[in-house]
Every structure is written in C-alpha cells, then in structure tokens.
Amino acid sequence: GKYKAKVLLSARERMAGRPSGYYVCVAGINPTPLGEGKSTTSVGLVQALGAHLKENVIACLRQPSQGPTFGIKGGAAG
C-alpha cells in the first residue's frame, strides 16, 4: 500500500543532485553463545555509524526465519 514502507519513484528525481550513500551487507556470521547474530550486528552497526558520522542512517532487516517457531529445519522454512 501507499503507507507501508514504500518509496515513490519521484524520490529518485528529488535526490538526483545529492551524493550517493553507502550500502553495507551483513550476510553471514556465526552467532555468539548469547544468540547475537546478523540482526543484532546490523542494528549495532547502524547505531554506531549514525552516532560517529552524525548523519542520518537506516537499517533494512528482513523478516527472520519462522522455521524455529514452527519446529521446521532449514533456511527456506519462511
């Protein structure tokens, strides 16, 4: 819908004269014994970069796997 995490194409034209940003992909790490994995690392990284650079930052996290919730193994469990 119009009001749920959508970016209008007109935003590209508004941002055309501004410098490009950076994209950091946290793709695969082994979680710590406390369960800190990619999501925790990503949020911490975004918070630290925002505080250090004093710039606006954004994190985009995908929906976590629902496999453990439903007792299903495998990354394609949804």
Side-chain angles (χ1 to χ4, degrees):
K2 185 176 179 181
Y3 300 104
K4 286 196 172 193
K6 304 294 181 189
V7 178
L8 298 176
L9 292 176
S10 61
R12 288 183 52 136
E13 290 143 16
R14 281 190 294 120
M15 305 297 267
R18 301 184 78 184
S20 295
Y22 295 95
Y23 179 85
V24 178
C25 180
V26 179
I29 61 172
N30 291 328
T32 67
L34 298 175
E36 298 163 327
K38 295 182 292 295
S39 296
T40 306
T41 300
S42 298
V43 170
L45 181 62
V46 167
Q47 289 178 330
L49 286 172
H52 178 72
L53 299 175
K54 301 205 180 0
E55 295 280 342
N56 292 332
V57 293
I58 188 169
C60 180
L61 304 174
R62 71 167 183 83
Q63 180 179 346
S65 173
Q66 297 299 309
T69 303
F70 297 110
I72 305 168
K73 287 190 167 197

